[in-house]
Amino acid sequence: MNLASWGRFGLLAALWGCSFALIKVSLEAFEPLQLAFGRLLVGAAVVLGILALKGIAAPARRVWGHVAVASVFGNVLPFFLFAYGEQYTTASIAGVIQGATPLVTMGIAAAALSDEKPTTRKVTGLLGGFAGLVLVVGPWRADGFGSLNGQLACVGAAASYAVSFVYVRRFIAPHKLPALAVTGGQLASAAVLTGVLTSFTTGWSLAGDLAVKPVLALIVLGAASTGLAFALLNRLIADVGPTTASGVNYLVPVFSVAVGAAVLGEPVAWNVPVGGVLVIAALALAEGRLSSLARRGSVAPPAPEQQPAAGSVAQKAC
């Protein structure tokens, strides 16, 4: 990656890592569903604005049903569940739990997709990741990290993300639509669904005073950690490919723990960083990154004429 790509990579990790602290602050004024709706509304406005500037068309009518389903699992449920969970647990815990999303995705993909066969490496990684997740949650602890109920809500959010990724791959990806257009459609659809759901359930009575801090946190959460973050992700995928771009998942828990401790003063016991490292290592194993690093260390790099051209790599990434 060049310097600009590294900058986007780090910024994306920071935006997603900081989102959990922003959720925590937003909850001072908003109920979880209200928070999810505000985040989606602002995020959709940002992404739709980018689509308009780039002249990218909205998804065709024939896929809007699939886009709506993907928005439920990829936006409505996880945004609500993380907000609900953080009422009862820390932002640090929520961020580390989201770091396990790719592992959950692998497990669901292996069960739902015929071309995703389970291998010894993947199964070992999934088991190790599950052990790390249990260690992070620390069900034996009764102090400092809130209730198990809140932590399980965050696990449910990570599982919902995983279902969405598999659904998009199975039903939307074959249509070869621009990823940013699908994202814009998902966020817009999710905002409408969440607005209706909020109106008929919790309503619009706020949880606290409409102070500057929670309102600003919600705006930043929607504009930066949702809208801008998705735009950065799509740019990274275009520049360096989906595999390299997915490596941002390794840094999100680091930022969430650091911001939670430094800004919110959250406690960080030994099980959180140790469990987080176990989750990251399991993810690296399941994705084959550890064996790739080992091969790089033991095999000399190919001669220049043996290396693939940039054009062929870009075509594979698309």
Side-chain angles (χ1 to χ4, degrees):
M1 289 195 294
N2 58 31
L3 186 60
S5 294
W6 275 116
R8 295 186 187 99
F9 189 92
L11 180 58
L12 178 59
L15 289 175
W16 277 346
C18 291
S19 66
F20 302 97
L22 292 169
I23 290 172
K24 198 74 170 178
V25 175
S26 299
L27 286 169
E28 295 176 7
F30 302 98
E31 297 288 353
L33 270 176
Q34 296 168 354
L35 190 159
F37 170 74
R39 175 183 184 178
L40 286 163
L41 187 65
V42 176
V46 170
V47 174
L48 294 177
I50 295 173
L51 290 174
L53 288 174
K54 290 180 173 290
I56 301 175
R61 288 183 180 180
R62 66 180 183 278
V63 299
W64 269 100
H66 290 309
V67 170
V69 173
S71 75
V72 171
F73 290 103
N75 304 108
V76 178
L77 281 175
F79 286 9
F80 163 71
L81 286 172
F82 271 125
Y84 174 83
E86 285 196 45
Q87 290 182 313
Y88 307 103
T89 192
T90 66
S92 303
I93 292 287
V96 175
I97 289 174
Q98 182 176 324
T101 297
L103 288 167
V104 183
T105 304
M106 285 183 187
I108 295 176
L113 302 176
S114 59
D115 59 341
E116 286 287 344
K117 300 297 183 182
T119 63
T120 301
R121 171 174 53 78
K122 288 184 178 181
V123 171
T124 303
L126 288 172
L127 292 175
F130 178 75
L133 196 57
V134 172
L135 190 58
V136 169
V137 171
W140 64 87
R141 297 186 62 91
D143 61 313
F145 296 98
S147 69
L148 183 61
N149 185 44
Q151 295 159 3
L152 290 179
C154 294
V155 173
S160 185
Y161 275 135
V163 171
S164 170
F165 295 152
V166 174
Y167 188 90
V168 167
R169 178 174 171 182
R170 174 68 177 81
F171 295 103
I172 298 179
H175 293 278
K176 307 295 183 182
L177 301 172
L180 197 59
V182 175
T183 297
Q186 277 191 228
L187 292 178
S189 176
V192 172
L193 292 172
T194 307
V196 172
L197 185 61
T198 304
S199 298
F200 285 96
T201 54
T202 60
W204 299 100
S205 297
L206 299 179
D209 295 332
L210 200 62
V212 173
K213 188 170 71 170
V215 171
L216 185 59
L218 180 59
I219 292 173
V220 175
L221 178 64
S225 294
T226 306
L228 178 59
F230 276 115
L232 280 171
L233 176 63
N234 281 282
R235 176 61 185 272
L236 268 177
I237 291 173
D239 288 347
V240 302
T243 301
T244 301
S246 69
V248 73
N249 290 296
Y250 294 90
L251 291 181
V252 171
V254 176
F255 275 98
S256 70
V257 172
V259 173
V263 178
L264 301 179
E266 294 181 343
V268 181
W270 67 270
N271 60 299
V272 177
V274 172
V277 168
L278 183 55
V279 168
I280 291 172
L283 175 58
L285 173 64
E287 290 184 341
R289 294 180 186 265
L290 294 180
S291 58
S292 176
L293 287 174
R295 285 195 300 270
R296 289 179 188 178
S298 60
V299 180
E305 64 270 20
Q306 295 174 310
Q307 295 176 354
S312 65
V313 174
Q315 290 170 358
K316 290 178 183 177
C318 294

